[in-house]
Amino acid sequence: MKPRVNMHATAPYVHSVMTVFDAAACEGLEPALVELVRVRASQLNGCAFCRGLHTRAALAAGEDPRRLDALSAWRESPLFTEAERAALALTESVTLIAEKGVPDEVLDAAAEHFDDTELVHLLWTIAAINAWNRIGVATAAGGVALR
């Protein structure tokens, strides 16, 4: 599919503000966790561009390729910590929010592993990657620099 529009070239100010927002959203969170969240949301949203970008970023940050291979089946895999599982469950609930919202038990489980500041940053990180995914899918961004 041919890219539809270059978001950066067409609206550079909005793009730069989104880039700053994305960086601020994940402040204070472990980089490996951030990349797991970004990859998982990108898998769910079908954004190949972001999935590839964040898979490469995770590998560059030292993430184990086996964990990335198992990410789509994280519930069945022993490779993820309880905190990562809580973050991934929250990622899925927020990403698929129209299906059943964010159940209390999902948010409560995340709150057991992340303090209020970390939890809010995790939520903003999930929101940011979902925004990037939607732009990536809407513009057929394969190969077009979104960030």
Side-chain angles (χ1 to χ4, degrees), residues 14-25:
V14 176
H15 184 271
S16 65
V17 170
M18 183 61 193
T19 301
V20 170
F21 165 67
D22 189 37

Side-chain angles (χ1 to χ4, degrees), residues 4 67 79 119:
R4 296 172 179 160
R67 286 169 34 97
L79 300 176
L119 183 58

Side-chain angles (χ1 to χ4, degrees), residues 3-83:
R4 296 172 179 160
V5 64
N6 184 316
M7 298 295 287
H8 175 68
T10 307
Y13 177 72
V14 176
H15 184 271
S16 65
V17 170
M18 183 61 193
T19 301
V20 170
F21 165 67
D22 189 37
C26 62
E27 278 184 14
L29 297 175
E30 292 181 24
L33 177 68
V34 168
E35 295 306 333
L36 288 175
V37 163
R38 288 172 171 166
V39 172
R40 185 63 188 134
S42 299
Q43 290 172 336
L44 294 169
N45 287 321
C47 186
F49 178 84
C50 291
R51 188 174 57 238
L53 177 75
H54 293 294
T55 296
R56 289 188 300 277
L59 290 169
E63 184 58 74
D64 185 333
R66 293 174 303 154
R67 286 169 34 97
L68 291 168
D69 288 342
L71 188 56
S72 64
W74 62 268
R75 283 182 176 82
E76 293 81 31
S77 174
L79 300 176
F80 301 94
T81 68
E82 289 304 312

Side-chain angles (χ1 to χ4, degrees), residues 37 40-41 44 74-75 82-97 101-111 114 118-127 130:
V37 163
R40 185 63 188 134
L44 294 169
W74 62 268
R75 283 182 176 82
E82 289 304 312
E84 290 167 337
R85 290 174 182 285
L88 292 168
L90 185 60
T91 299
E92 290 183 0
S93 287
V94 173
T95 300
L96 303 172
I97 202 162
V102 178
D104 288 340
E105 59 271 12
V106 172
L107 195 58
D108 292 346
F114 302 96
E118 293 167 330
L119 183 58
V120 168
H121 278 273
L122 180 58
L123 286 164
W124 281 121
T125 297
I126 296 166
N130 273 281

